Amino acid sequence: MRAARLIKMVLLLQGRVSMSASDLARELDVSERTVTRDAQALAEAGVPVYAERGRAGGYRLIGGYRTRLTGLDRDEAAALFLSGVPGALREMGLEDAASAARLKVSAALLPSLRDAPASAGRRFHLDAPGWWQEPETPEHLPAVARAVWADLVVRVVYRRRDGESVARRLEPYGLVLKAGVWYVCARADGEHPGFRVYRIDRFGEVADGEEGFVRDESFDLPGFWAERAAGFARAMLRETVLVRVSAAGAARLPYVTDDRESVLAALEAAGEADERGRVTVALAVESYDVAFGQLMPLGQEVEVLEPAGLRERFADAARAMGVLYGRDHQGE
């Protein structure tokens, strides 16, 4: 622990002209007294750390000293490629590895390039969760992440959508963060063998030991996820609604539904517009309740033709709105 901190201190000083004791203490998450002791230990080991007293003082390396301790270990190298996703790094327990990797890379850069990491950080930030969602870190995410990085088998208890809990032996191949929700793509055995997708927040128990597995190098995580996500979206569209939409409604329709691609395909397959410039479109929807909520914001730009029950529901809503807005401004 202390050796890693001393190395980090040297790398910090190597990347800057001078640092105050308070700045070092904050970066190293220790007290200023510990910084003083660490600086003394480095000096005794032959590292030329010089302390300048006074208001503008601080610690610095003298004599152009440069350490060769800039090689990345495996965890640091992996974390470096995720350094643009700080929230995800924290949740997976890789924040310290990423910090060490950034320091080592910065220390290895020419002085004229050392502001590049900070420059990029000021210009790009990825905020993965959707709006109005308070992201929650799944309890077992760090354990699953460790197993993914180390190619270790995990044994889990998984709560399915129907509420039933099942035990599974998984070979975790990759993690996916989608709209603030963490998933693991894993090869499972048992009654449903093969590659599957699991929500990590549904893991009730996770046991990771020393049993490793041989990774199938042909497995393509982005391709697998894209295929499964598309299949999931199609499977959710269980009902069909026939609508007549205006040109304005057709332009807005892909943005009020969950599956933009299926809506664009339906519009492409629609026939010619009628004399009012409206086209009839068969939309695949998750349910009639969902369709009601999605199509209502389009107002008069969309007319539901079938099924009759959903059309009548829109008619009832239109009559109620007419009564509400037919009153005078005093509400009498």
Side-chain angles (χ1 to χ4, degrees):
M1 178 72 73
R2 190 188 187 199
R5 189 176 71 241
L6 293 175
I7 292 172
K8 186 173 182 179
M9 183 174 180
V10 173
L11 291 172
L12 284 167
L13 294 175
Q14 185 171 305
R16 309 184 195 184
V17 175
S18 177
M19 290 186 70
S20 68
S22 60
D23 287 342
L24 282 168
R26 184 172 59 254
E27 291 280 357
L28 300 172
D29 195 24
V30 296
S31 67
E32 292 187 28
R33 180 173 296 181
T34 299
V35 168
T36 301
R37 288 198 298 265
D38 286 352
Q40 183 178 353
L42 287 171
E44 291 173 354
V47 178
V49 177
Y50 177 71
E52 294 179 322
R53 301 189 180 278
R55 180 177 298 178
Y59 292 91
R60 64 186 178 90
L61 295 174
I62 60 175
Y65 179 85
R66 294 186 62 79
T67 178
R68 295 182 180 273
L69 296 173
T70 53
L72 300 178
D73 65 28
R74 190 174 186 275
D75 288 342
E76 292 168 351
L80 184 61
F81 288 96
L82 294 170
S83 58
V85 198
L89 283 168
R90 281 194 303 273
E91 294 179 7
M92 288 188 290
L94 291 172
E95 188 174 25
D96 289 343
S99 175
R102 287 192 295 268
L103 277 173
K104 290 181 178 181
V105 170
S106 297
L109 293 174
L110 293 172
S112 60
L113 300 177
R114 285 189 188 142
D115 67 337
S119 178
R122 287 193 294 266
R123 289 167 172 79
F124 176 77
H125 174 70
L126 176 62
D127 186 7
W131 288 105
W132 302 292
Q133 294 180 3
E134 187 64 31
E136 295 184 4
T137 303
E139 176 186 356
H140 299 293
L141 175 60
V144 175
R146 285 193 300 271
V148 169
W149 296 125
D151 293 342
L152 294 176
V153 170
V154 292
R155 286 174 170 77
V156 305
V157 174
Y158 185 69
R159 187 183 73 257
R160 300 195 300 202
R161 277 187 294 177
D162 60 9
E164 181 184 357
S165 293
V166 294
R168 290 285 183 266
R169 176 189 179 277
L170 304 179
E171 297 176 356
Y173 269 63
L175 296 166
V176 175
L177 176 60
K178 171 71 172 179
V181 179
W182 283 97
Y183 300 85
V184 61
C185 302
R187 183 160 55 189
D189 53 16
E191 60 178 312
H192 300 294
F195 286 102
R196 306 178 68 83
V197 176
Y198 299 87
R199 281 185 60 145
I200 297 178
D201 59 4
R202 289 184 181 166
F203 286 162
E205 298 177 19
V206 173
D208 56 337
E210 297 300 322
E211 180 187 356
F213 66 90
V214 178
R215 176 178 288 266
D216 181 353
E217 295 301 332
S218 67
F219 178 77
D220 174 22
L221 178 60
F224 173 79
W225 175 260
E227 180 182 347
R228 287 304 175 95
F232 174 78
R234 289 191 298 269
M236 292 294 290
L237 304 179
R238 302 184 181 94
E239 307 290 351
T240 301
V241 174
L242 193 66
V243 299
R244 185 182 291 129
V245 295
S246 66
R252 292 173 55 193
L253 192 57
Y255 302 98
V256 299
T257 59
D258 293 326
D259 189 351
R260 184 169 180 265
E261 294 302 321
S262 71
V263 173
L264 292 174
L267 290 171
E268 183 70 22
E272 296 293 326
D274 62 17
E275 64 277 5
R276 295 189 300 161
R278 293 179 171 244
V279 295
T280 300
V281 182
L283 292 177
V285 298
E286 181 179 343
S287 69
Y288 296 139
D289 284 341
V290 171
F292 180 80
Q294 291 176 339
L295 297 177
M296 179 60 74
L298 296 180
Q300 63 183 4
E301 305 302 332
V302 61
E303 176 189 0
V304 174
L305 304 177
E306 297 177 4
L310 183 60
R311 179 180 175 85
E312 184 58 31
R313 186 173 175 182
F314 272 88
D316 289 343
R319 284 190 288 269
M321 293 284 282
V323 170
L324 178 64
Y325 287 97
R327 302 170 182 170
D328 63 31
H329 67 280
Q330 293 180 341
E332 298 176 355

Coordinates of all heavy atoms in Angstrom, one line a residue, residues 161 183 225-238 259 286:
R161 N -37.8 -12.3 -14.5 CA -38.9 -11.4 -14.6 C -40.2 -11.9 -14.0 O -41.0 -11.1 -13.5 CB -39.2 -11.0 -16.1 CG -38.2 -9.9 -16.6 CD -38.6 -9.4 -17.9 NE -38.5 -10.5 -19.0 CZ -38.8 -10.3 -20.2 NH1 -39.3 -9.2 -20.6 NH2 -38.6 -11.3 -21.1
Y183 N -25.7 -4.6 -17.3 CA -26.0 -6.0 -17.7 C -24.6 -6.7 -17.9 O -23.6 -6.1 -18.1 CB -26.7 -6.0 -19.1 CG -28.0 -5.3 -19.2 CD1 -28.1 -3.9 -19.4 CD2 -29.2 -6.0 -19.0 CE1 -29.3 -3.3 -19.4 CE2 -30.4 -5.4 -19.0 CZ -30.5 -4.0 -19.3 OH -31.7 -3.4 -19.3
W225 N -24.4 -7.7 -28.3 CA -25.3 -6.9 -27.6 C -26.3 -6.2 -28.6 O -27.5 -6.2 -28.3 CB -24.6 -5.8 -26.8 CG -25.6 -4.8 -26.2 CD1 -25.9 -3.6 -26.7 CD2 -26.4 -5.0 -25.1 NE1 -26.8 -3.0 -25.9 CE2 -27.1 -3.8 -24.9 CE3 -26.5 -6.0 -24.1 CZ2 -28.0 -3.7 -23.8 CZ3 -27.4 -5.9 -23.1 CH2 -28.1 -4.7 -22.9
A226 N -25.8 -5.8 -29.8 CA -26.7 -5.1 -30.7 C -27.7 -6.1 -31.2 O -28.9 -5.8 -31.4 CB -25.8 -4.6 -31.9
E227 N -27.3 -7.4 -31.5 CA -28.3 -8.4 -31.9 C -29.3 -8.7 -30.9 O -30.5 -8.7 -31.1 CB -27.6 -9.7 -32.3 CG -28.5 -10.8 -32.8 CD -27.7 -12.0 -33.1 OE1 -26.4 -12.0 -33.2 OE2 -28.3 -13.1 -33.3
R228 N -28.9 -8.9 -29.6 CA -29.8 -9.2 -28.5 C -30.7 -8.0 -28.2 O -31.9 -8.2 -27.9 CB -29.1 -9.6 -27.3 CG -28.4 -11.0 -27.4 CD -29.5 -12.0 -27.7 NE -28.9 -13.3 -27.9 CZ -28.8 -14.3 -27.0 NH1 -29.3 -14.0 -25.8 NH2 -28.3 -15.5 -27.3
A229 N -30.2 -6.8 -28.3 CA -31.0 -5.6 -28.0 C -32.1 -5.5 -29.0 O -33.3 -5.1 -28.7 CB -30.1 -4.4 -27.9
A230 N -31.7 -5.7 -30.3 CA -32.7 -5.6 -31.4 C -33.8 -6.7 -31.2 O -35.0 -6.4 -31.4 CB -32.0 -5.7 -32.7
G231 N -33.4 -7.9 -30.9 CA -34.3 -8.9 -30.7 C -35.2 -8.7 -29.5 O -36.4 -9.0 -29.6
F232 N -34.7 -8.1 -28.4 CA -35.5 -7.8 -27.3 C -36.6 -6.7 -27.6 O -37.7 -6.8 -27.3 CB -34.6 -7.2 -26.2 CG -35.4 -6.7 -25.0 CD1 -35.9 -7.6 -24.0 CD2 -35.6 -5.4 -24.8 CE1 -36.6 -7.2 -22.9 CE2 -36.3 -4.9 -23.7 CZ -36.8 -5.8 -22.7
A233 N -36.1 -5.7 -28.4 CA -37.1 -4.6 -28.8 C -38.2 -5.2 -29.7 O -39.4 -4.9 -29.5 CB -36.3 -3.6 -29.6
R234 N -37.8 -6.1 -30.6 CA -38.9 -6.7 -31.5 C -39.8 -7.6 -30.6 O -41.0 -7.6 -30.9 CB -38.2 -7.6 -32.6 CG -37.5 -6.7 -33.6 CD -37.1 -7.6 -34.8 NE -36.2 -8.7 -34.4 CZ -34.9 -8.6 -34.5 NH1 -34.4 -7.4 -34.9 NH2 -34.1 -9.5 -34.1
A235 N -39.3 -8.3 -29.7 CA -40.1 -9.2 -28.9 C -41.1 -8.4 -28.0 O -42.2 -8.9 -27.6 CB -39.2 -10.1 -28.0
M236 N -40.8 -7.2 -27.7 CA -41.6 -6.4 -26.8 C -42.8 -5.8 -27.6 O -43.8 -5.4 -27.0 CB -40.8 -5.2 -26.2 CG -39.8 -5.6 -25.2 SD -40.5 -6.3 -23.7 CE -41.3 -4.8 -23.0
L237 N -42.7 -5.8 -29.0 CA -43.8 -5.3 -29.8 C -44.8 -6.4 -30.1 O -44.7 -7.1 -31.1 CB -43.2 -4.7 -31.1 CG -42.1 -3.6 -30.8 CD1 -41.6 -3.1 -32.2 CD2 -42.7 -2.5 -30.0
R238 N -45.8 -6.5 -29.3 CA -46.7 -7.7 -29.3 C -48.0 -7.4 -30.0 O -48.8 -8.3 -30.3 CB -47.0 -8.2 -27.9 CG -45.7 -8.7 -27.2 CD -46.1 -9.3 -25.8 NE -44.9 -9.7 -25.1 CZ -44.3 -9.0 -24.2 NH1 -44.8 -7.8 -23.9 NH2 -43.3 -9.4 -23.5
D259 N -39.2 2.2 -30.3 CA -38.5 1.5 -31.4 C -38.5 2.4 -32.6 O -39.4 2.2 -33.5 CB -39.0 0.1 -31.6 CG -38.1 -0.7 -32.5 OD1 -37.1 -0.1 -33.1 OD2 -38.3 -1.9 -32.7
E286 N -45.9 -2.2 -28.0 CA -45.8 -3.1 -26.9 C -47.1 -3.5 -26.3 O -47.3 -4.7 -26.0 CB -44.9 -2.4 -25.8 CG -44.7 -3.3 -24.6 CD -43.8 -2.6 -23.5 OE1 -43.1 -1.6 -23.9 OE2 -43.8 -3.0 -22.4

